Amino acid sequence: CRLCKVDAHALYTRIASLAPAERLNALCNANWKLPKSSKGLEHLLHDPKEGDFWQADHITAVAEGGGGCSLENLRTLCGPCHAQETEKLRRRLKL
């Protein structure tokens, strides 16, 4: 993650290799921000996907003119940081 510096791909690989019963403990030990909904947590523990751990993010948001930019406008963020950045954008746009 470009913001918090967690290696989200390595974390995903580690979590995917564990049994579902071991995943919650490993995520907590990694200080991973868990989903708020029980459905989201259940998905993360029983069927984790790489997209649950990292996403591509526009540095300058599409809604703020960053849609036609090159790869220099992209960064990878872990899921929790991407959610935080999206919330900041919603507040700026008052959505």
Side-chain angles (χ1 to χ4, degrees):
C1 176
R2 296 292 298 229
L3 296 179
C4 72
K5 307 300 183 214
V6 70
D7 185 340
H9 174 72
L11 180 59
Y12 161 71
T13 302
R14 182 166 170 258
I15 296 300
S17 72
L18 296 173
E22 301 171 303
R23 290 176 179 158
L24 180 60
N25 212 18
L27 288 166
C28 290
N29 288 339
N31 294 318
W32 190 257
K33 186 175 179 185
L34 298 172
K36 292 178 183 177
S37 73
S38 59
K39 184 178 178 181
L41 181 59
E42 200 67 22
H43 166 75
L44 195 58
L45 297 178
H46 293 282
D47 191 26
K49 304 284 187 230
E50 192 161 6
D52 299 325
F53 290 82
W54 70 271
Q55 290 89 39
D57 180 63
H58 288 88
I59 297 166
T60 301
V62 173
E64 296 175 323
C69 297
S70 64
L71 290 176
E72 285 79 35
N73 189 45
L74 294 176
R75 61 186 174 181
T76 56
L77 297 179
C78 67
C81 284
H82 188 261
Q84 224 173 8
E85 290 298 300
T86 300
E87 184 55 37
K88 287 180 191 176
L89 174 63
R90 286 188 179 129
R91 279 184 288 209
R92 284 196 309 272
L93 298 176
K94 297 182 173 50
L95 295 178

